[in-house]
């Protein structure tokens, strides 16, 4: 197992930056005997090389950026980067990982990549965009795949779950209702036909005469060697024995729930064999896995697919994870087309966790809303999520004064999020309208990778205490900040204490108002906690290629300690303290480099109220 640093955040920026994350490859499908889990207490890195080597998720795939490949025909790279005018609305470049993509428009246009992973690749995940239909709802088209110059297969692409329109007056899928287009990309997992793609082989995506989309925008491809499906464990009950259909022909909701209920009574686990299981029940009660271990045959082999008739109302398709529940080795996918939990677009949470002592391991969620993580002493690890309509993974207090939803000591680690429709990783501590919800405490976001969220932030800490954000990678945020450290609106609990260390944060400063690489904020004057301070310690982080300021502090009442951080090539100031900020800053050993002409390393617009102590 090894870590692989992919090249160039932006091929046209003229500066060497990291691209789609620090990722690694391992043999076979992810499973307990071959997944390395980040330790909860490892020494802090001190050099940039150590920080980069330690950051990000260890994944069973390697991501290769399309813009690093060879171009054929009239194919071209489209990019944005520091120093260029940042977008004022969503763009294909802004939503691409590395802020770069390859455009194929004419027949014969191609991009060729090499399998340099050192492993066979029998599976690919292609991240791409094709146009919407004129009236909304998307189109379907193929793109041809060649291996070592020989045609291998046609890849099926679709825009049916892409191209939403922010502010549309009818529905978010209507391009004619005055909204702003965003959410351009989708991911397309596929098993390679024929022999696996051997190390050193070339992989070419080419638009030919039968590929009918007007344009293909190729962002990246994941190369993976997926192992065999897992076998049924001992002392388990198969959902098929209770009538579940692995062939995706009849609804399996009741059969799955009956199996869980039986396993709970008998002290057994639940086995979901290889297959695709239809769950399209419109009942208002979701599947409830509380108190049971539920295992599939692997993320590539077992899929629970929610195919709710659209538009839909008054239904729930999430999975409830309660006290002493384990969910592992499966995929959840849906036919959702826009955000709105339990609403007309078909979106709902992936898992909704609460209670105590739950574990979610090796779970792949696609086209869902958030994975909603409440309760006490819960762990989510070794998982991936993509193309969501809400947060990737949200640690929270359930937004309720509920002992089952406290948000205490929850850890999200070694997981991968791409193209999320809100924060890729978040803590959310909301006091509620009466201020009675408990404060989220002990949340840990460790060794994760966040790539190209199409809305909101890469990582957001919205209130809490004893929050730890360590050794993560964030790359290419479209709309907001790479990292947001603040509170959630007027009802948000204060951010009492957060430690942020060893993270590699690339890009940020998107089109949604004034945004930056890192933003640190506090409660406002109308907050339930108007006098509370935000307290943040940041050390040994690398901030690269922000489209605006590298790090910005605003509002009032902020105490921040910055130690041994590197801010590299921000488009504007390195560190910017806005006007009106009160509090203190202790800045030691930080390095701000590769400033653009006319920009300053540090700008304090609150010199009388925000006192900075510097050394080193």
């Amino acid at each position: 197992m090894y870590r692989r640093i992919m090249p160039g955040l932006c091929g046209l920026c003229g500066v060497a930056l990291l691209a789609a994350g620090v990722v690694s490859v391992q043999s076979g499908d992810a499973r307990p005997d071959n997944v390395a889990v980040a330790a909860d207490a490892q020494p802090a890195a001190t050099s940039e090389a150590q920080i980069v080597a330690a950051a990000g998720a260890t994944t069973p795939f390697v991501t290769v950026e399309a813009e690093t490949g060879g171009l054929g025909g009239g194919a071209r790279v489209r990019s944005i980067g520091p120093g260029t005018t940042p977008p004022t609305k969503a763009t294909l470049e802004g939503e691409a990982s590395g802020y770069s993509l390859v455009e194929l428009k004419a027949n014969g246009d191609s991009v060729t990549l090499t399998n340099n992973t050192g492993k066979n690749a029998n599976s690919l995940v292609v991240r791409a965009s094709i146009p919407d239909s004129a009236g909304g709802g998307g189109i379907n088209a193929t793109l041809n795949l060649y291996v070592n110059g020989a045609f291998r297969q046609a890849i099926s692409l679709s825009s049916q779950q892409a191209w939403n329109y922010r502010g549309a007056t009818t529905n978010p899928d209507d391009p004619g209702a005055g909204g702003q287009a965003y959410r351009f990309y989708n991911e397309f997992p596929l098993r390679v036909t024929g022999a696996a793609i051997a190390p050193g082989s070339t992989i070419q995506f080419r638009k030919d005469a039968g590929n009918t989309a007007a344009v293909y925008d190729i962002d990246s491809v994941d190369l993976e060697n997926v192992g065999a499906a897992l076998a049924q464990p001992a002392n388990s009950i198969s959902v098929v024995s209770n009538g579940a259909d692995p062939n995706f022909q009849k609804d399996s909701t009741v059969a799955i729930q009956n199996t869980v209920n039986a396993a709970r009574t008998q002290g057994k686990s639940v086995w979901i064999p290889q297959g695709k299981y239809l769950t399209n029940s419109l009942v208002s009660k979701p599947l409830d896995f509380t108190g049971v271990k539920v295992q599939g045959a692997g993320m590539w082999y077992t899929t629970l697919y929610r195919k709710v008739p659209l538009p839909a109302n008054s239904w729930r398709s999430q999975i409830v994870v309660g006290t002493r529940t384990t969910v592992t080795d499966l995929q959840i996918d849906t036919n959702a087309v826009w955000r709105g939990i339990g609403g007309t677009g078909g979106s709902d949470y992936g898992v909704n966790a609460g209670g105590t002592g739950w574990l979610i391991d090796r779970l792949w969620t696609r086209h869902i809303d958030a994975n909603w993580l409440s309760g006490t002493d819960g762990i989510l690890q070794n998982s991936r999520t993509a193309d969501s309509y809400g947060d990737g993974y949200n640690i929270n207090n359930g937004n309720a004064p509920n002992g089952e939803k406290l948000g205490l000591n929850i850890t999200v680690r070694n997981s991968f999020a791409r193209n999320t429709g809100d924060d890729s990783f978040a803590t959310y501590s909301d006091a509620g309208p009466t201020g009675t919800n408990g404060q989220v405490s002990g949340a840990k976001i460790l060794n994760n990778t966040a790539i190209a969220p199409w809305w909101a932030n890469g990582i957001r800490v919205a209130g809490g205490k004893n929050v730890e954000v360590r050794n993560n990678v964030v790359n290419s945020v479209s709309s907001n900040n790479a990292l947001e450290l603040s509170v959630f609106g007027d009802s948000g609990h204060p951010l009492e204490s957060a430690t942020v260390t060893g993270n590699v944060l690339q890009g940020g400063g998107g089109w949604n108002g004034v945004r930056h690489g890192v933003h640190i904020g506090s409660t406002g004057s109308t907050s339930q906690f108007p006098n509370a301070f935000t307290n943040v310690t940041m050390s040994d982080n690398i901030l690269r290629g922000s489209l605006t300021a590298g790090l910005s502090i605003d509002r009032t009442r902020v105490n921040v300690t910055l130690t041994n951080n590197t801010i590299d090539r921000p488009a504007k100031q390195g560190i910017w303290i806005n006007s009106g900020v009160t509090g203190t800053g202790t800045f030691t050993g930080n390095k701000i480099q590769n400033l653009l002409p006319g920009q300053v390393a540090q700008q304090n617009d609150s010199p009388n109220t925000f006192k900075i102590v510097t050394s080193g």
Side-chain angles (χ1 to χ4, degrees):
M1 195 177 301
Y2 61 93
R3 291 186 178 273
R4 180 174 178 83
I5 313 282
M6 306 310 292
L9 172 61
C10 174
L12 302 183
C13 296
V15 60
L17 301 172
L18 295 175
V22 182
V23 295
S24 66
V25 64
Q26 62 193 28
S27 176
D29 199 27
R31 60 190 70 186
D33 60 356
N34 67 359
V35 172
V37 177
D40 281 355
Q42 63 187 50
T46 55
S47 72
E48 289 188 36
Q50 287 175 308
I51 294 168
V52 169
T58 298
T59 65
F61 55 86
V62 166
T63 298
V64 181
E65 292 294 316
E67 64 270 16
T68 67
L71 305 182
R76 64 170 182 146
V77 172
R78 293 172 48 180
S79 296
I80 58 174
T84 62
T85 302
T88 57
K89 63 179 181 179
T91 65
L92 283 154
E93 297 93 332
E95 288 191 12
S97 57
Y99 296 140
S100 297
L101 62 104
V102 171
E103 179 184 83
L104 313 178
K105 293 189 76 171
N107 291 343
D109 288 359
S110 67
V111 58
T112 302
L113 307 165
T114 302
N115 178 7
N116 288 325
T117 67
K119 303 285 185 180
N120 288 324
N122 61 14
S123 304
L124 304 178
V125 177
V126 179
R127 185 171 192 252
S129 174
I130 60 175
D132 197 3
S133 61
I139 64 171
N140 299 308
T142 60
L143 179 65
N144 286 345
L145 170 67
Y146 293 78
V147 177
N148 293 327
F151 175 78
R152 180 63 67 90
Q153 68 196 89
I155 302 170
S156 296
L157 307 181
S158 176
S159 56
Q160 291 180 338
Q161 291 180 288
W163 291 88
N164 286 170
Y165 299 88
R166 181 172 172 79
T169 57
T170 53
N171 67 70
D173 216 24
D174 184 353
Q180 173 193 305
Y182 63 172
R183 188 184 165 81
F184 303 116
Y185 291 91
N186 209 334
E187 299 195 357
F188 302 96
L190 63 112
R191 301 302 294 263
V192 174
T193 300
I197 301 171
S201 299
T202 60
I203 304 166
Q204 183 183 80
F205 301 100
R206 191 170 82 190
K207 175 173 164 52
D208 293 325
N211 307 139
T212 57
V215 60
Y216 295 81
D217 294 301
I218 312 301
D219 180 37
S220 64
V221 57
D222 300 338
L223 283 68
E224 183 170 356
N225 186 37
V226 178
L230 300 177
Q232 181 173 354
N235 200 36
S236 64
I237 306 174
S238 171
V239 297
V240 174
S241 69
N242 280 300
D245 177 15
N247 299 311
F248 202 60
Q249 296 299 306
K250 65 178 183 178
D251 182 79
S252 295
T253 307
V254 173
I256 293 171
Q257 188 63 65
N258 286 345
T259 308
V260 171
N261 296 344
R264 188 184 298 120
T265 300
Q266 298 174 35
K268 296 183 177 181
S269 66
V270 171
W271 168 244
I272 308 181
Q274 180 176 348
K276 187 176 182 180
Y277 298 83
L278 177 64
T279 58
N280 67 346
S281 173
L282 292 179
V283 299
S284 59
K285 185 176 181 180
L287 285 169
D288 188 345
F289 289 176
T290 296
V292 174
K293 179 178 180 179
V294 179
Q295 180 177 348
M299 289 189 286
W300 282 87
Y301 292 104
T302 298
T303 299
L304 304 182
Y305 192 93
R306 306 166 179 169
K307 193 174 182 181
V308 179
L310 301 177
N313 289 288
S314 301
W315 60 277
R316 299 310 300 261
S317 64
Q318 62 183 253
I319 291 174
V320 173
V321 174
T323 295
R324 294 184 299 279
T325 305
T326 296
V327 178
T328 184
D329 295 300
L330 56 85
Q331 180 181 152
I332 299 170
D333 197 2
T334 84
N335 67 330
V337 292
W338 67 72
R339 188 173 190 176
I341 297 171
T344 56
S347 180
D348 200 354
Y349 296 141
V351 291
N352 187 348
T356 61
W358 50 262
L359 173 65
I360 299 166
D361 197 6
R362 300 182 299 278
L363 176 69
W364 191 356
T365 51
R366 306 176 59 224
H367 306 113
I368 61 164
D369 200 272
N371 288 294
W372 195 248
L373 309 175
S374 308
T376 302
D377 297 325
I379 297 173
L380 182 143
Q381 63 185 16
N382 307 323
S383 295
R384 61 177 95 168
T385 192
D387 300 331
S388 71
Y389 297 94
D391 300 308
Y393 303 101
N394 186 305
I395 299 171
N396 60 81
N397 60 5
N399 197 20
N402 184 339
E404 293 290 303
K405 300 281 188 177
L406 294 176
L408 303 179
N409 304 318
I410 296 174
T411 298
V412 175
R413 62 190 181 193
N414 201 55
S415 293
F416 183 93
R418 185 166 52 199
N419 201 37
T420 58
D422 213 317
D423 309 310
S424 298
F425 298 87
T427 69
Y428 169 44
S429 187
D430 195 344
T434 61
T436 55
N437 300 346
Q439 172 74 295
V440 170
S441 179
K444 293 183 179 181
I445 300 173
L446 310 175
N447 282 95
N448 302 293
T449 298
I451 305 294
W454 57 271
W455 177 245
N457 309 281
I459 299 175
R460 181 177 186 182
V461 178
K465 62 182 178 181
N466 300 323
V467 178
E468 184 177 0
V469 179
R470 175 161 49 82
N471 295 356
N472 302 283
V473 165
V474 174
N475 185 302
S476 310
V477 173
S478 174
S479 66
N480 287 20
N481 314 287
L483 172 63
E484 168 80 18
L485 302 164
S486 59
V487 298
F488 187 86
D490 286 348
S491 61
H493 277 295
L495 181 51
E496 296 182 32
S497 53
T499 300
V500 180
T501 185
N503 302 283
V504 179
L505 308 171
Q506 302 155 148
W511 54 265
N512 183 33
V514 181
R515 306 290 178 169
H516 304 282
V518 174
H519 172 252
I520 302 175
S522 63
T523 59
S525 59
T526 57
S527 166
Q528 293 183 32
F529 309 91
N531 299 314
F533 273 78
T534 288
N535 300 291
V536 171
T537 297
M538 292 186 63
S539 63
D540 298 299
N541 301 285
I542 300 174
L543 288 59
R544 286 181 168 160
S546 170
L547 301 179
T548 51
L551 185 150
S552 174
I553 302 172
D554 69 5
R555 293 283 185 98
T556 59
R557 300 176 306 282
V558 174
N559 294 323
V560 59
T561 299
L562 304 178
T563 305
N564 297 335
N565 301 285
T566 297
I567 300 176
D568 183 42
R569 198 176 170 84
K572 295 187 177 180
Q573 309 94 328
I575 298 173
W576 178 27
I577 296 93
N578 288 252
S579 178
V581 179
T582 60
T584 60
T586 302
F587 298 174
T588 304
N590 301 292
K591 181 168 58 175
I592 301 173
Q593 62 191 27
N594 295 319
L595 290 168
L596 298 181
Q599 299 302 330
V600 297
Q602 184 171 294
Q603 178 177 330
N604 186 358
D605 291 338
S606 302
N608 297 321
T609 56
F610 187 84
K611 300 299 182 180
I612 299 175
V613 177
T614 61
S615 63

